[in-house]
């Protein structure tokens, strides 16, 4: 049985620049083969059972040879798997996407190509440079900076006399030669040049000069690959059109959420947010005790409440039988979630709670250990270690104590040693205490509310 291979463009870096159909294909995939330059947060869009395989390539070093990648694509598809080949930028722009498609077609494998936004255009826009402009450039030319294997050289005479914008991809190792050849073949040495490193990402850097001095500027500011080389008069527009938002350059770690309210709010302010994964939740098969035996129900978390309601319905019990019960919330999140469903709960433990007639519902361990405890789910640690160096981040945000535990469980020994240097935003007093206990050196307490937390983050970094 044949599966399907999707050659998927990841875009220039920022995870929000992935297409909607690309996000859907990642969620459907059984196997994901991904490149080095993709943002690891894109892997959060995969399902829990997907196998993730790093086939990234470094300059002059291939972790997995292209022939082996081709073989893997064919073999997995022949096994009936849904395979995603996740490639930086666009699969057909100076990548091996065309070759991979030819191999798949040759072996009769069902495949599709989902374009990605190429950095050759989006990377310029992210730095305030329009690739075309009526007053400066009516055309653009995208050229690979790699040497051709057969020794054939680029047609510098033709390239140098193009009137539009010239963008070189994968050309930083050849930057001196590119500048030299353009000038020798007729380009003015005063032609504007921009070098944009890590375009659209938190670490985006840019220097602007001309063909005469750009190499000196690159060395002084320590730019390297991956970077775009932009040659043309449109570079002049960057000073006018490059937009800086309040949190531009701030790089945050946040928990992955389907709703992504926190992510969206931070990105709108210019921050770049990457995800740490929450633990996998596995519902437990339990026998529901008689609801009539209890006068009070302690709800440890929102998930436990949803599992409890599902269990009631499964057992043919109308939720209206809870009408005369005391519903006690262990934290503000439970209060907020239940209020949205029309249930007003008691926050905190009342003095007169009937211990023998109280049931606490939660995960594997009770919060209060009062009365009967009903364990409704268990958490399982994810196999993948957090794919980031924590030194790259400005801060991490924790909405709950459980999120701290999940975060710490995803770290390697080396990453755990970096925790004390990482600023943490804790949404609530209990979360703050847990973060301090976990070893975070600088803990900022925030209100237990997404909007107010975003304001707190903004104030903290603008103040800094």
């Amino acid at each position: 049985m044949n599966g399907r291979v999707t050659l998927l463009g990841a875009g220039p870096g920022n995870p929000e620049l992935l297409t909607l159909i690309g996000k859907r294909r990642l969620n459907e995939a059984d196997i994901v083969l991904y490149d080095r330059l993709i943002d690891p947060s894109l892997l959060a869009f995969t399902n829990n059972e997907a196998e993730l395989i790093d086939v990234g390539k470094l300059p002059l070093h291939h972790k997995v040879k292209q022939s082996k990648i081709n073989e893997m694509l064919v073999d997995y598809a022949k096994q009936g798997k849904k395979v995603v080949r996740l490639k930086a930028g666009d699969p057909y722009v100076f990548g091996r996407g065309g070759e991979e498609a030819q191999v798949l077609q040759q072996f009769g494998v069902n495949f599709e190509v989902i374009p990605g936004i190429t950095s050759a255009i989006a990377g310029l826009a992210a730095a305030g440079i329009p690739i075309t402009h009526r007053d400066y450039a009516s055309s653009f030319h995208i050229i690979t900076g790699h040497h051709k294997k057969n020794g054939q050289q680029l047609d510098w005479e033709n390239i140098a006399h193009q009137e539009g914008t010239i963008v070189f991809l994968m050309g930083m190792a050849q930057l001196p030669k590119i500048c030299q050849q353009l000038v020798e073949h007729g380009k003015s040495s005063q032609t504007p040049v921009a070098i944009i490193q890590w375009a659209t990402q938190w670490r985006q850097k840019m220097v602007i000069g001309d063909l005469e001095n750009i190499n000196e500027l690159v060395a002084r500011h320590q730019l390297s690959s991956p970077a775009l080389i932009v040659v043309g008069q449109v570079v002049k527009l960057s000073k006018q059109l490059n937009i800086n938002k309040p949190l531009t350059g701030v790089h945050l770690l946040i928990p992955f959420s389907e709703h992504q309210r926190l992510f969206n709010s931070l990105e709108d302010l210019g921050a770049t947010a990457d995800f740490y994964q929450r633990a996998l939740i596995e519902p437990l098969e339990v026998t529901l005790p008689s609801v009539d035996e209890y006068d009070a129900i302690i709800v440890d978390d929102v998930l436990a409440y949803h599992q409890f309601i599902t269990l009631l319905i499964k057992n043919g019990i109308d939720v209206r039988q809870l009408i005369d019960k005391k519903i006690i919330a262990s934290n503000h999140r439970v209060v907020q979630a239940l209020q949205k469903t029309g249930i007003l709960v008691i926050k905190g433990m009342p003095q007169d709670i009937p211990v023998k007639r109280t049931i606490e519902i939660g995960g594997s361990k009770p919060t209060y250990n009062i009365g009967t405890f009903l364990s409704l789910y268990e958490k399982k640690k994810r196999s993948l270690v957090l794919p980031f160096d924590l030194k790259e981040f400005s801060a991490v945000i924790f909405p709950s104590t459980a999120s701290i535990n999940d975060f710490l469980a995803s770290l390697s020994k080396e990453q755990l040693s970096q925790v004390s240097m990482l600023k943490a935003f804790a949404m609530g007093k209990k979360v703050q205490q847990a973060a301090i206990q976990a070893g975070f050196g600088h803990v900022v307490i925030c209100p237990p509310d997404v909007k107010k937390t975003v304001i707190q983050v903004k104030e903290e970094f603008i103040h800094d």
Side-chain angles (χ1 to χ4, degrees), residues 250-255 262 266 274-276 386 390 393-399 403-404 407-408 410-411 418-419 421-427 431 435 440-444 446 453 457 461:
V250 175
H251 192 204
L252 300 167
L253 262 174
I254 65 173
L262 183 59
L266 292 168
D274 279 307
F275 302 121
Y276 61 88
L386 187 74
L390 296 188
F393 291 90
S394 310
V396 59
I397 300 178
F398 296 119
S403 67
I404 296 177
F407 175 76
L408 295 175
S410 70
L411 302 183
Q418 298 173 343
V419 161
M421 299 178 287
L422 187 61
K423 181 183 292 186
F425 288 89
M427 297 172 65
V431 187
F440 290 91
H442 184 184
V443 180
V444 180
C446 304
T453 294
V457 171
F461 285 106

Side-chain angles (χ1 to χ4, degrees), residues 22-34:
K23 184 178 179 181
R24 177 156 61 92
R25 286 293 186 259
L26 281 176
N27 183 255
E28 296 168 348
D30 301 309
I31 308 285
V32 178
L33 282 68
Y34 62 94

Side-chain angles (χ1 to χ4, degrees), residues 294-298 325-328 353-354 357-360:
Y294 301 99
D295 297 325
I297 301 172
I298 302 171
K325 314 292 182 187
K326 287 183 178 179
I327 309 293
I328 302 164
I353 185 169
R357 293 184 60 82
T358 296
I359 184 170
E360 180 179 358

Side-chain angles (χ1 to χ4, degrees), residues 36-37 59 143-147 154 156 167-179 193-199 205-208 214-231:
R36 174 180 69 97
L37 294 180
I143 300 168
T144 176
H146 276 181
H147 281 305
L154 294 171
W156 290 109
V167 182
F168 291 90
L169 301 182
M170 303 176 291
M172 286 300 287
Q174 300 297 320
L175 180 60
K177 181 176 181 180
I178 288 171
C179 296
V193 180
I195 307 296
I196 310 165
Q197 184 180 11
W198 293 111
K205 292 171 65 178
M206 177 174 65
V207 295
I208 290 178
I214 194 64
N215 285 287
E216 177 190 342
L217 292 171
V218 164
R220 186 190 309 166
H221 293 278
Q222 298 181 333
L223 268 68
S224 60
S225 61
L228 302 161
I229 303 168
V230 188
V231 181

Side-chain angles (χ1 to χ4, degrees), residues 130 132-139 163 165 232-234 236-237 240:
T132 63
H133 188 285
R134 190 168 61 174
D135 296 332
Y136 296 98
S138 58
S139 64
E163 295 298 325
T165 306
Q233 298 301 319
V234 290
K236 295 178 180 178
L237 292 168
Q240 177 187 356

Side-chain angles (χ1 to χ4, degrees), residues 38 61 91 111 136 157 168 174 182-183 189 228 279 285 305 327 354 361 367 380-381 393 399 416 422 430-431 462:
I38 65 122
H61 173 71
F111 74 94
Y136 296 98
E157 183 71 27
F168 291 90
Q174 300 297 320
L182 288 175
V183 172
S189 62
L228 302 161
E285 291 291 334
Y305 177 74
I327 309 293
I361 58 175
T367 300
K380 290 191 174 181
K381 180 181 175 181
F393 291 90
L416 284 168
L422 187 61
K430 287 185 179 179
V431 187
I462 289 177

Side-chain angles (χ1 to χ4, degrees), residues 176-423:
K177 181 176 181 180
I178 288 171
C179 296
Q180 176 190 351
Q181 291 292 335
L182 288 175
V183 172
E184 286 185 0
H185 287 84
K187 276 283 185 204
S188 167
S189 62
Q190 304 304 305
T191 303
V193 180
I195 307 296
I196 310 165
Q197 184 180 11
W198 293 111
T200 78
Q201 300 187 33
W202 67 274
R203 49 190 163 182
Q204 177 177 310
K205 292 171 65 178
M206 177 174 65
V207 295
I208 290 178
D210 54 41
L211 287 173
E212 185 174 17
N213 66 10
I214 194 64
N215 285 287
E216 177 190 342
L217 292 171
V218 164
R220 186 190 309 166
H221 293 278
Q222 298 181 333
L223 268 68
S224 60
S225 61
L228 302 161
I229 303 168
V230 188
V231 181
Q233 298 301 319
V234 290
V235 170
K236 295 178 180 178
L237 292 168
S238 177
K239 187 174 182 180
Q240 177 187 356
L241 301 181
N242 196 7
I243 300 170
N244 277 318
K245 296 181 179 180
L247 293 181
T248 295
V250 175
H251 192 204
L252 300 167
L253 262 174
I254 65 173
F256 179 73
S257 165
E258 291 292 338
H259 301 295
Q260 295 188 18
R261 289 192 301 136
L262 183 59
F263 177 87
N264 294 340
S265 299
L266 292 168
E267 290 268 335
D268 286 346
L269 288 172
T272 302
D274 279 307
F275 302 121
Y276 61 88
Q277 290 282 22
R278 302 302 306 271
L280 296 173
I281 302 298
E282 189 169 290
L284 297 174
E285 291 291 334
V286 298
T287 301
L288 181 68
S290 173
V291 177
D292 293 335
E293 295 179 8
Y294 301 99
D295 297 325
I297 301 172
I298 302 171
V299 183
D300 286 351
D301 54 55
V302 178
L303 179 59
Y305 177 74
H306 291 316
Q307 291 290 105
F308 183 65
I309 296 302
T310 300
L311 198 58
L312 289 177
I313 295 170
K314 184 178 178 181
N315 284 271
I317 299 173
D318 195 311
V319 294
R320 283 173 291 188
Q321 289 194 29
L322 305 179
I323 198 167
D324 60 343
K325 314 292 182 187
K326 287 183 178 179
I327 309 293
I328 302 164
S330 67
N331 59 63
H332 68 277
R333 294 193 168 276
V334 177
V335 173
Q336 292 174 346
L338 268 62
Q339 279 179 347
K340 289 178 181 179
T341 65
I343 299 175
L344 299 180
V345 301
I346 302 169
K347 185 179 180 182
M349 196 60 57
Q351 296 292 325
D352 59 344
I353 185 169
V355 175
K356 290 185 178 180
R357 293 184 60 82
T358 296
I359 184 170
E360 180 179 358
I361 58 175
S364 56
K365 295 180 180 179
T367 300
Y368 293 101
N369 205 15
I370 295 175
T372 302
F373 177 64
L374 185 63
S375 177
L376 295 174
Y377 66 87
E378 64 179 357
K379 290 187 173 183
K380 290 191 174 181
K381 180 181 175 181
R382 292 178 182 269
S383 57
L384 281 176
V385 173
L386 187 74
F388 300 106
D389 183 344
L390 296 188
K391 293 177 183 176
E392 296 180 347
F393 291 90
S394 310
V396 59
I397 300 178
F398 296 119
S400 64
T401 55
S403 67
I404 296 177
N405 295 332
D406 293 346
F407 175 76
L408 295 175
S410 70
L411 302 183
S412 65
K413 287 184 179 180
E414 182 180 355
Q415 289 169 325
L416 284 168
S417 69
Q418 298 173 343
V419 161
S420 61
M421 299 178 287
L422 187 61
K423 181 183 292 186

